Amino acid sequence: MCTLDAKLPVSIPLSTGSRRRRIWDLAQKCHCPVVGVCLPQDTLRKLVNKSLGGKTPSDNYEVHVGAVAECGQRNRLSELLQHELEQRYARTVQNFRVAKTTEDLALLWKKTVEQGDIGGALWAALTHPRCDESLEEIIHRNMHMLAHHASAMGCADNAEFNALQEANANLTREVNRLQERNTRFMAEKSSDIERLNAQLVQVRAEGIGKDSCIAFLDAEMTELKASVSDFESGSRLQKKVEQMTVRQTELENEIGNLRKKLAMATKSLDAVNAESSPKEDTTGDELPEIRTAPITLHLQQKTVLCVGGRSGNVASYRDLIERVGGRFAHHDGGLEDSHNVLGASLAAADLVICQTGCISHNAYWKVKDFCKRTGKRCVFVENPSTSSLARGLELISTKEHEAVLTENI
């Protein structure tokens, strides 16, 4: 962009008034840049067509030359041009009113051109009352060089525009190719969706058929149950027999274990008696009395929660705990009881017996996590028998008793 390199001569302003010049008051050499730069071509053609009553030449150059020729005097077209320029650049003209001298006007012209408002700066500077012949000449030179610069930039812009057009054409072809590919892909997916929908309808129909068959079999089973007398009682008795069978097996196992322990204790006692009194007759039929120290359980007024175990042993669990003064609570470990109830039962319990052999995985981990977080005493028992429960209670009581002795020491 051209700059004001020429030094302005210090001269007296042309007028001390504030009246701005009109377009017909400007020098003839100023009309061409004003018409060509300050007015767009379509606006100029519109004004010329309005002044000539619709007889505008088709060539833009002829329109420009004719408009420049008419600006030399006041007439219909020059008045239209004057009015359009005043409205279009009213803000710039208002900004130029602060210039009180030619030097101020020249500096303001330079600053506005550098900001890019060439059309507004040209019109406001040339029509300003402080614009003398020297400044007018400088503005004319600047506009001449700006025209050359714009021409060179236009050539570069044209080359860039042509390159962009070619790139745009390539991108358009690529987009079209992608659109065709997307269309084929959507057609394939639509076919797959239709096929899957057909399969879904078939599967739903099969499911409805199976549900109908299940409903029919349920109804038939209900009728059969109603036709057989005492069916529910028989079912309950059958479950009770199964539970008793399991209980009998457990008791037999416990009896076998006790017999083995008794035999071992008898042998040990015989060996001790033989060593202490070898002359005494030990061939008698009487067996020595075996005394076992009773286990003292410290469960008075304590709530013992038993999680898991067989349902047939619940009564035995309750009897064992209540005999030593505890309060019995039971949760089946998620088999039938809700998991939500388990949390409340754990919070209310003082001791927890977790029978790991008859408990769900979720209930096991919930009990373990709760007791670990709260520090509540918990014993894990693998065998769901009553004797295993007793050993678990004995282990808890022993640990509590040892803890009390440790504190007293």
Side-chain angles (χ1 to χ4, degrees):
M1 181 178 291
C2 301
T3 57
L4 297 176
D5 296 331
K7 186 176 180 181
L8 289 174
V10 179
S11 60
I12 300 175
L14 296 177
S15 174
T16 58
S18 60
R19 181 182 179 278
R20 298 175 57 251
R21 292 187 291 179
R22 307 295 187 266
I23 193 171
W24 51 83
D25 297 330
L26 300 178
Q28 185 177 2
K29 62 181 180 180
C30 298
H31 294 154
C32 181
V34 168
V35 174
V37 176
C38 299
L39 292 172
Q41 187 63 40
D42 55 346
T43 302
L44 178 61
R45 178 175 289 276
K46 180 180 178 181
L47 295 175
V48 172
N49 186 57
K50 185 176 181 180
S51 65
L52 297 180
K55 298 180 181 181
T56 306
S58 59
D59 186 61
N60 290 334
Y61 179 75
E62 294 182 3
V63 173
H64 174 77
V65 172
V68 170
E70 292 297 322
C71 289
Q73 54 187 350
R74 184 172 184 176
N75 50 46
R76 171 67 172 166
L77 179 58
S78 62
E79 290 179 350
L80 290 175
L81 295 176
Q82 173 70 25
H83 181 71
E84 175 67 24
L85 291 169
E86 286 295 312
Q87 284 189 337
R88 182 179 293 270
Y89 301 112
R91 182 182 295 274
T92 308
V93 170
Q94 182 65 30
N95 294 337
F96 269 67
R97 292 184 182 276
V98 298
K100 302 302 182 181
T101 63
T102 304
E103 288 78 6
D104 295 341
L105 181 60
L107 293 175
L108 190 57
W109 152 259
K110 178 181 177 181
K111 179 179 178 181
T112 308
V113 169
E114 289 176 351
Q115 293 175 353
D117 186 14
I118 299 176
L122 179 63
W123 175 250
L126 290 178
T127 57
H128 196 279
R130 298 298 177 265
C131 182
D132 57 8
E133 294 181 0
S134 300
L135 180 57
E136 189 177 279
E137 179 63 24
I138 291 175
I139 293 174
H140 182 72
R141 292 181 196 173
N142 290 159
M143 293 305 301
H144 181 79
M145 297 309 298
L146 285 171
H148 289 301
H149 179 72
S151 177
M153 292 296 295
C155 294
D157 291 342
N158 288 334
E160 184 179 359
F161 177 74
N162 293 333
L164 290 175
Q165 275 190 325
E166 183 177 357
N168 181 67
N170 295 332
L171 292 175
T172 301
R173 287 192 294 270
E174 183 68 17
V175 169
N176 293 334
R177 186 179 65 82
L178 292 176
Q179 285 180 345
E180 293 177 359
R181 179 182 176 184
N182 183 62
T183 302
R184 291 195 302 269
F185 179 77
M186 292 299 295
E188 294 175 0
K189 290 304 175 183
S190 298
S191 178
D192 293 341
I193 290 173
E194 292 178 359
R195 177 175 55 81
L196 293 175
N197 286 333
Q199 294 179 1
L200 179 62
V201 171
Q202 182 178 359
V203 171
R204 286 179 176 175
E206 294 176 357
I208 293 174
K210 292 180 180 179
D211 291 340
S212 301
C213 182
I214 292 172
F216 176 76
L217 292 176
D218 287 340
E220 186 176 0
M221 183 180 294
T222 303
E223 292 178 0
L224 290 174
K225 289 181 179 179
S227 63
V228 178
S229 59
D230 297 334
F231 177 80
E232 295 182 356
S233 299
S235 299
R236 288 196 297 271
L237 290 176
Q238 181 65 28
K239 292 181 179 179
K240 187 66 175 178
V241 169
E242 293 176 356
Q243 295 174 0
M244 295 300 294
T245 301
V246 174
R247 177 59 177 164
Q248 181 180 356
T249 303
E250 293 177 355
L251 291 176
E252 289 177 353
N253 294 332
E254 291 183 11
I255 291 172
N257 294 330
L258 292 174
R259 284 176 177 176
K260 292 179 181 179
K261 292 180 179 180
L262 179 60
M264 294 175 63
T266 302
K267 291 181 180 180
S268 299
L269 184 59
D270 290 341
V272 171
N273 291 333
E275 293 177 358
S276 59
S277 55
K279 296 180 180 181
E280 295 181 358
D281 186 9
T282 58
T283 60
D285 295 333
E286 294 183 358
L287 293 176
E289 182 180 0
I290 301 175
R291 298 182 179 180
T292 57
I295 300 174
T296 303
L297 303 180
H298 304 280
L299 300 178
Q300 287 76 11
Q301 302 301 322
K302 290 186 178 181
T303 300
V304 179
L305 173 63
C306 180
V307 183
R310 293 190 174 93
S311 59
N313 296 346
V314 174
S316 300
Y317 299 161
R318 182 185 299 276
D319 181 65
L320 174 63
I321 293 173
E322 290 180 351
R323 277 193 290 108
V324 294
R327 291 191 295 268
F328 176 76
H330 180 258
H331 190 282
D332 66 0
L335 300 179
E336 294 182 1
D337 296 340
S338 173
H339 283 285
N340 297 329
V341 180
L342 180 58
S345 300
L346 289 170
D350 298 311
L351 304 175
V352 180
I353 302 293
C354 180
Q355 301 194 7
T356 59
C358 300
I359 188 174
S360 65
H361 291 288
N362 292 335
Y364 171 79
W365 289 111
K366 188 170 184 178
V367 170
K368 188 173 182 179
D369 179 68
F370 181 87
C371 293
K372 183 178 180 181
R373 286 188 293 102
T374 59
K376 185 162 295 186
R377 189 175 297 278
C378 177
V379 174
F380 294 89
V381 181
E382 295 184 359
N383 192 342
S385 63
T386 307
S387 60
S388 298
L389 178 62
R391 286 194 295 272
L393 293 174
E394 178 185 356
L395 178 61
I396 292 177
S397 299
T398 302
K399 290 183 177 180
E400 288 185 350
H401 184 64
E402 291 177 354
V404 171
L405 291 178
T406 303
E407 290 179 358
N408 292 333
I409 293 174

